[in-house]
Amino acid sequence: MDSEAGTSTPRNSSQFSWRYISRNLLLAYQSFGVVYGDLSTSPLYVYKSTFVGKLQNRQTEEAIFGAFSLIFWTLTLIPLIKYVFILLSADDNGEGGTFALYSLLCRHGKFNLLPNQQAADEELSAYSYGPSSQVVASSPLKRFLEKHKRVRTALLLVVLFGACMVIGDGVLTPAISVLSSVSGLQIAEPKLTDGEILLIACIVLVGLFALQHFGTHRVAFIFAPIVIIWLISIFSIGLYNTIHWNPRIVSAISPYYIIKFFRETGKHGWISLGGILLSITGTEAMFADLGHFTALSIRIAFAFVVYPCLIVQYMGQAAFLSKHLTSIPKSFYDSIPDGVYWPVFVIATLASIVGSQAVITATFSIIKQCHALGCFPRVKIVHTSKHMYGQIYIPEINWILMILCLAVTMGFRDTTLIGNAYGIACITVMFVTTCLMALVIIFVWQRNVIMAAAFLLFFGCIEGFYLSASFMKVPQGGWVPLVLSCIFMVVMFVWHYGTRRKYNFDLHNKVSLKWLLGLGPNLGIVRVPGIGLIYSELATGVPPIFSHFVTNLPAFHKVLVFVCVKSVPVPYVPPEERYLIGRICPRPYRMYRCIVRYGYKDIQRDEGDFETQLIQSIAEFIQMEAEEPKLSSSESSSLDGRMAVISSRSPESTSSLVISNQVDYGVSTTIQSSKSAALQSLRSAYEDENPQVRRRQVRFQLPANRVMDPSVKEELLDLILAKEAGVAYIMGHSYVKARRSSSFLKKLVIDVGYSFLRKNCRGPAVALNIPHISLIEVGMIYYV
């Protein structure tokens, strides 16, 4: 037995390691189709965008050598060292991007501006990440950031500005990539006019955005071979050009040629950095799309395939251009040997489509994360893969991006002008990431401030140098991402401001439920059969919408559950930690609170079993409370009583209740269980009109062989009877208006901006997957 055990261990470990390696190799393969399309198509337009303006008069062999040296060191320092070796280690439980860095900071310091956070959120398994924060508890910088709300607001604005620039990338990347690749037709077919090239580019762009609803998972398998063939092609062409035209270009790897370049070109060389910058566009996708892959898979793909292919391609182009200075405006296509021109052109066009895919995918994730922060209106989010959880598609954003992209393409008609805009958007995101990473080094990694300062100074100076050069091109197209970012920032600010004002109104107008119940005999309040789910953004207290409802309709259900669906600063909340259950009043009142927690990457999918999980969770809470009367509260200061995390289990595994039978039904149990002939006829009519609506009804019963306290049994029976009587969803249909005494600007923001966004975004009932037939909306005006 011992010998068998001894031999089985290494076999299992080898199987695990082989499974680990094969999984990462498979993910590395998929990453080519999602992450590297944009970065790998940059050779189409870098040299053309660099030698523009007055630098056209300095097109010499030495200038070409200097430009290649700049490209080599830029690719080495920023994508390879900063992103691959450093930033990919700063993931948030496997997630990357600026929001991942921001959520890490919010969990290691009180920087968060989400209003309804609780102490119980810090007990989430995904919350504690990295070393303990006790070491930096007394940090003067941390105390300064936590004390000043304006500084924390500024930090959020910086993150949102970076997010807006990523959205700008989603507009500019398809425009420059597709237009650059399609323009190669004019070299082979000089008869084609610029207008015809533009028309072809627009058709390709429309097709690209129409493909988005298939999702990243399918696209990755389709597009990955295209990018790999493209990388092999540009590597081969670059190697051929280097050997055939000017092998001496290898010496330009020395940074001495950079010094020589600036000495000869001066100010114009500095301005040309806006073109050199385009060689690293798409780098941010390596970090932003980390959640779809793994850090190791991205490192393997970039370090062993993408990086060497790009270096050799830029080297080959430089070798060709050093002997053909007049070919700079069409450097890539002129450098292709005649025999392989058409195959490379076809692959270049397909690769440019793939390049656009990476940024569009990242844009969807950014919008979702902005919504989780309460900074973007509710939009429809489609989960495109049953197996890969983080992959989404947002129809409204997709078509808005398409319209903006077509407008930019038809408006500029020139890749140089689009490149000026593109460079500003990309380097701004990188600079924001560098600033956030410096804070992560201090607060999350708990390294010395000197190390963070060295990181910020080194990479910040490099990116600041590029940023200053890019801003010199604002009049020549660089204004586009700034205008787009301002528009999206206004939308985010208006939504965030209106949402916070509405929440503060609820917070300051909470009602005392005991006082309200004390008025019961005077108001004639009665308890009707069924369960009433009252939705509110408040994590504690009773919302004013409930008192407004009871005052106008003095009756409510025998079992009341105040439901709060909220976001927490973690990427994903495990299902077993999603529900937080507690009481609001003493046991006879049958009133509970349920807080449903989602991470900023979680998707609220309509699985049709929310009611079942809720009943199970409440039943588990009742049992737990009876067995552990001294259950410690995670929020001792809460007036609502004890709260406990209840694992959401499958219907068959619950210990408090037993499933008696399951049947499919068409509408809510509110109508299904009714004995009224009128309501039954309404149900039949509804099923006839909505044949596609099929939900699952679950019936509960108490376990037969279990001994339990009579009061617990009575409460569980009341819960089962209420469930069988039906479930009603009560939500506020609010109208937010500014007070008459408010300033003109506040009235403009609330009465015009916020009102417009609320009317044109998804309703909260639709976003929360609430069945329409069971919904009760209570109208209420909020004067904020």
Side-chain angles (χ1 to χ4, degrees), residues 29-49:
Y29 166 77
Q30 290 182 350
S31 70
F32 287 109
V34 178
V35 177
Y36 297 110
D38 184 15
L39 187 62
S40 65
T41 53
S42 296
L44 289 169
Y45 44 77
V46 169
Y47 283 108
K48 174 188 176 182
S49 300

Side-chain angles (χ1 to χ4, degrees), residues 531 558-561 580-593 613-631 642-647 654-657 702 706-722:
I531 298 178
K558 285 190 174 180
V559 175
L560 276 184
V561 184
L580 195 62
I581 304 292
R583 282 191 196 279
I584 290 183
C585 285
R587 180 174 291 177
Y589 288 102
R590 306 293 192 252
M591 295 185 182
Y592 311 93
R593 180 179 302 283
Q613 292 181 356
L614 181 64
I615 300 302
Q616 290 175 352
S617 299
I618 294 174
E620 291 290 327
F621 172 77
I622 294 169
Q623 284 286 106
M624 183 187 299
E625 190 182 40
E627 295 170 2
E628 303 176 35
K630 295 183 179 180
L631 181 67
R642 296 185 292 267
M643 301 288 287
V645 177
I646 306 296
S647 299
T654 179
S655 59
S656 298
L657 299 178
L702 293 177
R706 185 166 180 178
V707 179
M708 61 179 65
D709 185 90
S711 61
V712 173
K713 184 176 183 180
E714 181 185 357
E715 189 170 7
L716 290 175
L717 281 172
D718 286 346
L719 186 65
I720 293 172
L721 291 173

Side-chain angles (χ1 to χ4, degrees), residues 631-651:
L631 181 67
S632 60
S633 171
S634 58
E635 291 182 89
S636 57
S637 61
S638 173
L639 298 177
D640 294 343
R642 296 185 292 267
M643 301 288 287
V645 177
I646 306 296
S647 299
S648 59
R649 308 179 182 183
S650 63

